[in-house]
Amino acid sequence: MTISPEKIAINPLQWIATDDGWIDPSIAPPLAERLKVIKESGIRSVHAEVPADLTTAEYARLLADHGLLPAPGYISGPLPEDEASLRELLHKTDRMSTQMAELGLPTVFVATGMNKQAPRVHRPAVGADGTPERLERVRDVFARMGETTRANGVTAAFHPHIGTWAETEEETRFILDTVPADVLSFGPDIGHLGWAGADVIGLIREYGERVAAMHVKDYHADVAERGRAEGWTYQQTVLAGLWAEPGHASVDIPATLAALPDSFDGWLVIEVDKGAQATPEDSVRLCGEWARRQH
């Protein structure tokens, strides 16, 4: 399997990672500055996220002006508790998947959201407070999101994520096994699934034909294991040095990619929430070095 250089992208979370182990988009430098660093790193595509003050066409021109292409973006929101909140999430899903279609992207990641007060943020990676009833509701929400994106010609790639109601291998399998493949594809994050103790390579091998895109995330397995054993919060685990730039921690990324089917034609999206480098720019450059080695 050969990955096209244009399909190795980055979601540059480095610029919005906070000192308390969280994510805050308001602290990011201007988009043009970030795009310049990404282009100089050798990465050719970037996670698509249309700013509120730009049209989709204006955003596409900005990417093109920096010599970059769009890669699948990410739709998430709190698990709906009633019909009104479900309509709100589906409206967001419709709007953002329309943007993906306008950018020429056939795929978008979909996830449930997390916040600092969520039970699974306080007890991450162990499926805390899970119930069959809630998991069925989560499954139904993903199915509705998939139906909504499909109406816009875009495939929804289910994205398990630590700190949400879909984080473990068992939950991942349940959702994939009970939602038709033409409604929901698979968008695994190899770092988040690994943090939860999943057999990541086994999952990718078993559901490989449904993988439309993947988040490439490296992490230190000893930190993840200790955090799970000692009951650390999401932020405590991150601040203990969980994440790393690809190829610099515990994940066997080559073996993981080798588990994908030969027919895989999706995107690899690099993510480093809070890496080991001194600055976001240094981290992005290191990600670029990894991306260039894949060509």
Side-chain angles (χ1 to χ4, degrees):
M1 180 192 64
T2 301
I3 304 293
S4 165
E6 288 75 22
K7 287 196 169 181
I8 300 178
I10 190 170
N11 181 10
L13 298 176
Q14 293 94 327
W15 277 294
I16 61 174
T18 63
D19 290 338
D20 69 348
W22 202 246
I23 295 293
D24 180 2
S26 71
I27 67 175
L31 179 57
E33 292 181 17
R34 288 174 276 157
L35 296 179
K36 181 175 183 292
V37 174
I38 292 167
K39 173 62 176 178
E40 290 173 349
S41 78
I43 296 172
R44 303 190 188 183
S45 301
V46 64
H47 156 98
E49 186 171 8
V50 181
D53 60 345
L54 295 180
T55 66
T56 306
E58 289 169 339
Y59 176 69
R61 283 196 294 273
L62 181 62
L63 293 185
D65 287 346
H66 286 83
L68 294 168
L69 295 168
Y74 186 91
I75 305 171
S76 69
L79 179 64
E81 298 295 338
D82 52 34
E83 282 301 314
S85 56
L86 176 60
R87 284 195 300 272
E88 183 178 350
L89 176 61
L90 295 180
H91 175 73
K92 178 181 181 180
T93 302
D94 178 60
R95 173 177 58 81
M96 292 187 68
S97 59
T98 297
Q99 292 174 338
M100 297 299 114
E102 291 171 347
L103 290 168
L105 294 167
T107 303
V108 65
F109 292 96
V110 293
T112 54
M114 65 175 188
N115 60 64
K116 291 181 180 179
Q117 288 72 46
R120 290 193 171 185
V121 171
H122 290 283
R123 294 175 58 208
V126 295
D129 298 339
T131 66
E133 294 77 17
R134 183 185 288 110
L135 183 55
E136 289 177 359
R137 184 153 57 92
V138 171
R139 182 269 318 277
D140 293 345
V141 169
F142 277 118
R144 292 291 300 276
M145 293 176 80
E147 291 164 354
T148 301
T149 70
R150 186 173 63 172
N152 292 324
V154 175
T155 296
F158 162 54
H159 187 72
H161 195 289
I162 297 296
T164 76
W165 294 115
E167 67 175 11
T168 68
E169 178 172 347
E170 293 74 19
E171 290 162 346
T172 298
R173 288 180 176 278
F174 175 81
I175 290 167
L176 290 173
D177 289 345
T178 58
V179 179
D182 63 344
V183 174
L184 202 63
S185 64
F186 190 20
D189 183 311
I190 64 178
H192 277 270
L193 281 167
W195 180 4
D199 174 7
V200 180
I201 290 175
L203 278 170
I204 291 171
R205 188 174 290 125
E206 184 170 345
Y207 296 95
E209 296 298 334
R210 290 177 73 167
V211 176
M214 176 188 292
H215 279 185
V216 175
K217 230 177 169 84
D218 209 344
Y219 72 99
H220 292 283
D222 57 337
V223 175
E225 291 166 6
R226 185 178 175 194
R228 290 197 305 269
E230 299 188 15
W232 292 350
T233 67
Y234 187 101
Q235 291 162 277
Q236 283 176 307
T237 310
V238 169
L239 292 176
L242 178 70
W243 301 123
E245 287 71 23
H248 289 266
S250 302
V251 179
D252 188 344
I253 298 176
T256 305
L257 298 183
L260 289 164
D262 291 340
S263 60
F264 177 74
D265 190 37
W267 282 261
L268 304 180
V269 182
I270 303 165
E271 279 193 344
V272 183
D273 294 37
K274 191 175 182 62
Q277 301 307 301
T279 69
E281 291 78 12
D282 289 339
S283 180
V284 170
R285 292 185 188 107
L286 203 58
C287 292
E289 291 178 12
W290 180 85
R292 294 195 300 275
R293 291 197 298 271
Q294 312 313 305
H295 299 170

